[in-house]
Amino acid sequence: MKSAALLLFGVLLCSTAIALPLTKAPSEYEAVIPHKYPLFKQCDKRWGSDVIVTETLCKVGCLENSISSGLAGKGYKINGAKVNPGSLNSWLKSHHGYTSSNELIEGEIPHLHPSSISWTCSGCGLFSGRTSLSKEEIKHKVKEGLVVIGNVMNGAHFVLITGYDTSNANVFHVNDSGFDRSTYNYDDFVGYRVFKM
């Protein structure tokens, strides 16, 4: 039952320190990045120690960081300032956006700006399972401007998918808030969160 909650709400083990090898040097990829998003790091001193419910953004905030990156890249603001993980966390706390066990409730994100953010649009929502979205569907959604968040590390971490690779259809470019990685392979993804913003 715990693993279902992990997939549904995104409880994370985001900052577990492990070495993850790249298959190529970053300069060897032929990246297509249709939209630029800021890269937020979950242990940034500006918000890393901010508490969600009982855990910090540094420890379990990779989903919040990925969503913040998407919101900021699309120009959204909270209280007149560009979104960042700290401001999103504060907003979520004051709008019942977490369960008591630090799980982000994705359905609350559209309440930030109901007329332009959707979790239920056609092609949006939760996609569970390694092959719930094909490589082509991911590419299409990213090109279309949807915010696509990939669940990696067997469900323990989230990254914002920012682009794809023209030299290798298995490679997707990401903003990774917890590790020094800029790509993951298609087979690394075990699920997705997709928002229209």
Side-chain angles (χ1 to χ4, degrees):
M1 204 62 183
K2 180 82 171 151
S3 62
L6 286 172
L7 287 176
L8 182 58
F9 296 111
V11 164
L12 311 168
L13 305 171
C14 296
S15 62
T16 306
I18 56 176
L20 299 170
L22 292 174
T23 55
K24 287 180 167 182
S27 60
E28 294 178 51
Y29 290 108
E30 295 178 29
V32 175
I33 312 291
H35 190 82
K36 299 290 183 201
Y37 296 97
L39 172 60
F40 295 127
K41 289 295 192 177
Q42 62 198 67
C43 292
D44 187 299
K45 66 181 179 181
R46 293 173 289 174
W47 50 73
S49 61
D50 291 1
V51 175
I52 296 169
V53 176
T54 60
E55 299 288 355
T56 65
L57 283 173
C58 182
K59 186 171 182 183
V60 298
C62 53
L63 182 55
E64 291 83 345
N65 275 262
S66 295
I67 292 171
S68 296
S69 182
L71 289 165
K74 297 290 188 172
Y76 286 95
K77 296 182 177 189
I78 295 176
N79 298 324
K82 227 174 192 190
V83 175
N84 66 52
S87 65
L88 179 62
N89 181 51
S90 294
W91 185 89
L92 285 165
K93 287 168 64 171
S94 67
H95 290 83
H96 311 289
Y98 293 111
T99 68
S100 61
S101 55
N102 302 292
E103 298 165 343
L104 189 149
I105 302 168
E106 290 92 339
E108 292 303 313
I109 298 297
H111 296 182
L112 236 170
H113 203 285
S115 65
S116 62
I117 299 174
S118 178
W119 168 247
T120 58
C121 67
S122 174
C124 294
L126 171 68
F127 296 86
S128 297
R130 197 168 294 279
T131 59
S132 57
L133 289 178
S134 70
K135 295 173 207 174
E136 284 304 313
E137 286 173 312
I138 297 168
K139 271 176 64 174
H140 178 73
K141 289 177 185 307
V142 169
K143 282 197 293 192
E144 198 176 276
L146 295 176
V147 171
V148 182
I149 298 168
N151 195 197
V152 295
M153 296 183 188
N154 295 314
H157 187 54
F158 288 95
V159 295
L160 176 65
I161 300 174
T162 59
Y164 51 92
D165 195 84
T166 58
S167 66
N168 184 340
N170 286 313
V171 174
F172 288 90
H173 294 266
V174 301
N175 278 359
D176 188 331
S177 66
F179 300 96
D180 290 327
R181 286 199 62 174
S182 60
T183 63
Y184 281 89
N185 289 323
Y186 176 72
D187 291 339
D188 294 325
F189 295 105
V190 297
Y192 307 89
R193 310 295 195 269
V194 181
F195 293 91
K196 179 182 176 189
M197 298 181 178

